[in-house]
């Protein structure tokens, strides 16, 4: 059942919230031991919440917009009394002491949190293989990584273990696993969604956003979580667009941009599918323009340098004095690498050489992508340049980072970006990335609605 119909049938008492929860619990019981999308499931809490909602339905009380929907949360977002471990041994015994703003908003709209999803340790990765709680399998391509770092959140919706999930995206961590698992994932404009309560990886890049099998579900969750939050000074007032209302609107005359340099760094079979989709869009009469992007080579070094410095700083609170273990004593290789390099390049004598240079490069990249976006509404292209590797394949850190070349641009520039499934290569899902100007998140949503209907028509 799609999300829009499910919301209605819960309100009409055709489906109870408790049935919805129990159906998912059955799937989780059956599939999670193999897929490992959830690292904590709070059965009692979810059933109790569902019963409360059902009793309010029978009393005819007014219900929230997410009433009865079952939601999984990435393990780096604070949910009171749930395990907020960031998939690290550092925090294995830490339980959320409060609700992040996004969680408060979800609860206020009667969404039911069912559990915490797996991820790369502290969100530093693109494969979910660095989790202290073991790797997650890709439900859409068994035996392969689900992508990352929000791999558990993507796998959970791909395997029908819940209605919707939250992820976080610092350099692609919502879009990359959405692409590999064949679902939708949306990284909002920087500041559109509150980060209060998120364990930060790199605060100038991090954004929380939704993942789902269902585009309406993405819109609904965005409607609930977006907007100014006095507790997060980087948040901005949204321009009032309702993402779900876009589903009732007429066809748009959006223009699309295609960047050759994005295709050049991408494997051919993926490019072929992306080009098929672009052709179908053209055939429907949309205007598609090709535009150049100069600094593709600068993107990864710039992103990772800033990421290391900000992450190093963010991890200083994990010193083992107040809670958890001292991070350096227990963390995995990748997290340690970032702390060590981050600490090294943060030294005063190097600041001009590395960090300030990276900030200059960041500003060049932002201006360049803004230049492309001046001429079009939405840039479309591949989300990830290669297919997900088989679990256990040994790859170098640079090979791992190269998964991110197309996704980090949106974080460097603070612009909104999403990924939607457009096809498969050898049975493995491939995603289309859409990017737009700051606060034009709605254009991405509108474009996805229209592209989805083109793809459906194509069959
Ligand atoms: N793979 C990127 C990194 O390791 C992005 C991670 C993320 O978006 N959280 O930093």
């Amino acid at each position: 059942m799609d999300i829009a119909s499910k919301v209605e049938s819960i309100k009409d008492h055709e489906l109870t919230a408790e049935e919805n929860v129990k159906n998912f619990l059955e799937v989780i019981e059956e599939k999670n031991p193999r897929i490992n999308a959830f690292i904590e499931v709070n059965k009692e809490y979810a059933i109790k919440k569902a019963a409360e909602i059902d009793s309010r339905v029978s009393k005819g009380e007014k219900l929230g917009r997410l009433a009865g929907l079952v939601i999984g949360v990435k393990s780096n977002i604070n949910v009171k009394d749930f395990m907020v471990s960031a998939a690290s041994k550092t925090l294995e015994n830490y339980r959320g002491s409060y609700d992040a703003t996004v969680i408060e908003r979800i609860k206020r709209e009667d969404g039911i949190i069912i559990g915490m999803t797996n991820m790369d340790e502290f969100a530093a990765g693109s494969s979910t293989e660095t989790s202290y709680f073991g790797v997650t399998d890709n439900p859409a391509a068994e035996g392969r990584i689900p992508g990352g770092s929000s791999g558990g959140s993507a796998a959970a919706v791909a395997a029908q273990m819940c209605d919707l999930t939250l992820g976080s995206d610092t350099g692609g961590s919502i879009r990359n696993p959405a692409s590999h698992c064949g679902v939708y994932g949306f990284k909002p404009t920087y500041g559109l969604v509150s980060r209060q309560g998120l364990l930060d990886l790199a605060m100038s890049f991090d954004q929380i956003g939704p993942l789902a099998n269902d585009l309406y579900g993405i819109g609904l969750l965005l409607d609930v979580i977006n907007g100014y939050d006095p507790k997060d000074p980087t948040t901005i007032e949204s321009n009032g667009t309702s993402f779900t209302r876009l589903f009732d609107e007429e066809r748009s005359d959006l223009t699309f941009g295609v960047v050759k340099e994005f295709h050049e760094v991408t494997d051919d079979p993926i490019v072929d599918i992306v080009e098929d989709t672009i052709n179908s869009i053209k055939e429907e009469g949309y205007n598609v323009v090709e535009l150049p992007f100069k600094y593709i080579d600068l993107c990864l070094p710039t992103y990772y340098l800033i990421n290391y410095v900000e992450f190093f700083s963010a991890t200083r609170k994990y010193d083992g004095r107040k809670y958890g273990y001292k991070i350096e004593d227990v963390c995995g290789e990748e997290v340690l690498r970032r702390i060590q390099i981050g600490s090294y390049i943060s030294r005063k004598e190097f600041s001009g050489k590395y960090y300030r240079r990276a900030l200059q490069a960041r500003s060049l990249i932002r201006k360049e992508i803004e230049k492309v976006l001046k001429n079009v509404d939405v840039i479309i292209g591949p989300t990830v340049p290669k297919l997900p590797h088989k679990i256990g394949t040994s790859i170098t850190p640079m090979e791992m980072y190269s998964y991110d070349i197309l996704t980090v641009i949106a974080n460097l520039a603070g612009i909104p970006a999403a990924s939607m499934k457009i096809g498969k290569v050898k049975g493995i899902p491939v995603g289309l990335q859409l990017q737009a100007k700051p606060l034009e998140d709605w254009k991405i949503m509108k474009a996805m609605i229209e592209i989805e209907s083109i793809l459906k028509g194509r069959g």
Side-chain angles (χ1 to χ4, degrees):
M1 194 190 303
D2 61 61
I3 299 285
S5 331
K6 190 181 266 188
V7 170
E8 286 313 308
S9 42
I10 292 173
K11 280 191 181 143
D12 297 343
H13 232 174
E14 282 158 14
L15 173 75
T16 67
E18 199 168 328
E19 278 163 354
N20 193 31
V21 167
K22 286 188 169 159
N23 290 340
F24 283 127
L25 284 171
E26 257 173 47
V27 181
I28 291 174
E29 200 163 306
E30 184 202 324
K31 293 190 184 164
N32 201 53
R34 187 174 58 74
I35 293 175
N36 199 28
F38 278 101
I39 57 179
E40 182 189 33
V41 176
N42 197 331
K43 223 166 150 175
E44 295 71 33
Y45 171 86
I47 295 175
K48 189 175 131 249
K49 275 286 150 200
E52 276 169 35
I53 290 165
D54 289 330
S55 108
R56 284 170 50 210
V57 175
S58 29
K59 286 186 210 138
E61 286 176 23
K62 188 171 162 10
L63 292 160
R65 285 177 285 178
L66 297 173
L69 295 183
V70 173
I71 297 165
V73 180
K74 188 174 181 179
S75 290
N76 59 353
I77 300 171
N78 268 279
V79 181
K80 193 170 175 355
D81 298 331
F82 282 60
M83 195 175 89
V84 185
S85 63
S88 180
K89 181 172 171 62
T90 313
L91 297 173
E92 69 176 335
N93 297 319
Y94 173 70
R95 303 202 80 82
S97 49
Y98 66 101
D99 283 331
T101 298
V102 288
I103 302 300
E104 271 176 9
R105 291 183 180 181
I106 286 173
K107 288 184 175 172
R108 203 187 301 150
E109 295 296 337
D110 298 320
I112 301 172
I113 311 286
I114 195 161
M116 305 304 281
T117 59
N118 204 5
M119 57 185 280
D120 278 296
E121 184 178 20
F122 283 105
S126 314
S127 72
T128 314
E129 288 170 304
T130 66
S131 166
Y132 176 63
F133 300 92
V135 63
T136 297
D137 199 355
N138 185 335
E142 248 180 73
R144 292 185 183 263
I145 55 156
S149 63
S150 314
S153 292
V157 286
Q160 322 271 4
M161 292 180 180
C162 56
D163 290 304
L164 309 164
T165 52
L166 284 180
S168 69
D169 190 311
T170 309
S173 281
I174 291 175
R175 291 160 285 156
N176 166 302
S179 174
H180 288 327
C181 293
V183 300
Y184 296 97
F186 201 114
K187 180 204 91 76
T189 297
Y190 186 80
L192 188 64
V193 173
S194 170
R195 290 175 299 109
Q196 192 265 345
L198 171 71
L199 307 186
D200 45 341
L201 169 58
M203 68 85 70
S204 75
F205 297 136
D206 297 337
Q207 268 297 280
I208 294 174
L211 294 103
N213 260 319
D214 175 302
L215 203 42
Y216 186 86
I218 294 281
L220 187 57
L221 197 45
L222 278 175
D223 278 351
V224 168
I225 64 176
N226 90 86
Y228 175 71
D229 173 18
K231 291 189 210 149
D232 176 358
T234 64
T235 50
I236 41 191
E237 202 53 74
S238 71
N239 48 13
T241 321
S242 153
F243 290 93
T244 41
R245 213 178 305 142
L246 295 171
F247 286 83
D248 308 324
E249 280 177 11
E250 308 264 283
R251 180 185 146 158
S252 69
D253 54 2
L254 292 174
T255 57
F256 293 97
V258 173
V259 174
K260 194 173 83 239
E261 288 78 2
F262 295 171
H263 292 202
E264 281 167 4
V265 297
T266 305
D267 288 348
D268 290 341
I270 297 175
V271 173
D272 289 346
I273 293 190
V274 169
E275 280 175 353
D276 274 355
T277 304
I278 294 170
N279 286 334
S280 305
I281 294 171
K282 281 186 192 157
E283 278 161 24
E284 289 297 313
Y286 291 91
N287 193 9
V288 182
V289 220
E290 205 182 286
L291 295 154
F293 179 83
K294 261 191 269 173
Y295 302 118
I296 192 81
D297 297 344
L298 274 183
C299 294
L300 285 178
T302 305
Y303 166 79
Y304 274 96
L305 202 148
I306 297 172
N307 181 298
Y308 286 176
V309 171
E310 292 187 12
F311 182 57
F312 164 65
S313 158
T315 55
R316 295 310 81 203
K317 58 185 167 287
Y318 307 119
D319 57 9
R321 276 185 286 202
K322 266 203 204 126
Y323 53 92
Y325 299 102
K326 182 173 176 203
I327 188 167
E328 289 89 342
D329 290 345
V330 295
C331 71
E333 213 177 289
E334 178 59 27
V335 164
L336 193 59
R337 176 177 10 263
R338 293 188 193 207
I339 292 174
Q340 286 171 343
I341 304 179
S343 126
Y344 182 78
I345 55 188
S346 297
R347 286 200 219 161
K348 192 165 172 5
E349 67 264 35
F350 294 149
S351 130
K353 202 160 152 201
Y354 299 119
Y355 188 60
R356 255 186 290 140
R357 272 268 188 76
L359 292 182
Q360 283 164 352
R362 178 179 191 173
S363 130
L364 273 181
I365 294 165
R366 194 185 56 238
K367 287 194 187 122
E368 183 71 4
I369 197 79
E370 279 170 358
K371 201 164 95 195
V372 178
L373 282 165
K374 242 186 218 127
N375 301 296
V376 295
D377 294 304
V378 180
I379 300 171
I380 46 176
T383 308
V384 190
K386 44 186 187 171
L387 296 172
H389 59 258
K390 293 209 174 97
I391 290 171
T393 313
S394 120
I395 65 170
T396 63
M398 282 318 291
E399 284 170 323
M400 185 64 82
Y401 297 169
S402 69
Y403 274 111
D404 308 327
I405 186 158
L406 299 168
T407 45
V408 295
I409 299 167
N411 305 78
L412 285 161
I415 60 174
S419 181
M420 67 185 290
K421 180 182 166 185
I422 51 167
K424 286 183 173 183
V425 171
K426 290 188 259 159
I428 304 163
V430 166
L432 180 79
Q433 178 170 230
L434 304 93
Q435 307 184 73
K437 297 180 194 72
L439 286 178
E440 294 195 341
D441 305 59
W442 68 272
K443 285 190 179 170
I444 292 180
M445 192 67 194
K446 185 73 177 129
M448 289 202 288
I449 296 170
E450 297 184 10
I451 295 172
E452 186 190 48
S453 99
I454 295 173
L455 295 180
K456 273 196 183 138
R458 204 176 63 176

